Amino acid sequence: MFLDLGLSSQQLLDTDRGFSFLRPGPLDMRMSRSLTRTAWEIVVHSSERELAEMFRSYGEEPQARRIAQALKEAIRQHALPNDAWQVAETIRRAAASPMKRIDPATRCFQALRIVVNHELDNLDKILTEIKDLLSPGGRAAIISFHSLEDRRVKSAFQQAAKGCLCPPRIPQCVCGQIPWARLINRK
């Protein structure tokens, strides 16, 4: 089993999908059109506090409050249309810092994409099902692109190789869980 958790360049180039903050287009971000809520709907209908928490939790954005405040204020003033580029520009102005190496919109767009597509819930689901999906002797490899995914994958793989679920303070295993996997390498 091989999972690549990244976006494709085709998705980034399609301006109707709204994944990229480098071009104008609707702020959609749905991987599947069957999903009901777009990123724009989440920005509009979330409270300032919810938006800040989203940016902090899923984007690990240190200026989450300031950015959420700027977005909600622009929406209140009817100064922000459903446009990925203009949303990104609002984020850039709110998080302006000459020392930034990456575009300030990167983390916020990541957070919105994760929420829209339930990415971490889906990853958690597949991580719990890997054991049942692999044939005996099978191998699993997952390419992750940010720390939220990476921590989950590493933790699940380490747990599969460890087996025991007992708290570390218990001197001897009482849970009876046995390892069902072997790690090929640390990464």
Side-chain angles (χ1 to χ4, degrees):
M1 175 186 295
F2 180 73
L3 301 174
D4 179 343
L5 304 179
L7 286 171
S8 76
S9 49
Q10 286 179 323
Q11 289 169 316
L12 290 171
L13 292 174
D14 184 350
T15 57
D16 290 338
R17 302 296 294 275
F19 286 108
S20 175
F21 47 79
L22 301 175
R23 296 174 177 80
L27 187 66
D28 190 318
M29 293 192 186
R30 293 175 296 168
M31 297 281 186
S32 167
R33 300 288 187 187
S34 68
L35 294 170
T36 56
R37 287 179 47 179
T38 66
W40 176 249
E41 290 167 341
I42 288 170
V43 169
V44 169
H45 298 296
S46 297
S47 70
E48 188 176 306
R49 173 184 270 162
E50 291 168 332
L51 213 48
E53 182 57 31
M54 215 177 294
F55 295 155
R56 190 176 303 105
S57 298
Y58 299 121
E60 300 177 302
E61 172 54 59
Q63 297 186 63
R65 251 181 90 213
R66 179 194 240 164
I67 292 167
Q69 186 177 26
L71 288 170
K72 295 309 282 186
E73 184 59 30
I75 290 168
R76 275 191 288 277
Q77 293 179 4
H78 303 288
L80 187 61
N82 179 5
D83 181 75
W85 170 259
Q86 290 188 45
V87 169
E89 278 297 300
T90 303
I91 292 168
R92 289 180 188 111
R93 283 191 299 275
S97 172
M99 303 305 286
K100 292 272 186 184
R101 288 188 336 194
I102 63 168
D103 190 308
T106 302
R107 290 187 183 114
C108 295
F109 271 56
Q110 171 185 298
L112 288 169
R113 192 193 73 238
I114 287 171
V115 172
V116 166
N117 296 291
H118 313 282
E119 291 179 21
L120 296 179
D121 294 335
N122 290 330
L123 177 59
D124 290 341
K125 184 177 180 195
I126 195 73
L127 289 172
T128 61
E129 294 175 1
I130 284 179
K131 179 181 179 181
D132 299 326
L133 295 171
L134 284 177
S135 299
R139 293 180 182 219
I142 300 176
I143 297 177
S144 58
F145 288 87
H146 55 79
S147 59
L148 297 173
E149 294 170 343
D150 195 50
R151 280 192 293 265
R152 282 173 156 79
V153 170
K154 284 181 180 174
S155 176
F157 279 21
Q158 288 167 352
Q159 185 59 53
K162 178 182 172 193
C164 178
L165 300 171
C166 296
R169 62 175 168 42
I170 296 178
Q172 189 174 7
C173 177
V174 294
C175 73
Q177 294 286 327
I178 58 170
W180 62 267
R182 181 176 51 87
L183 295 179
I184 296 171
N185 63 40
R186 290 182 333 120
K187 296 187 177 199

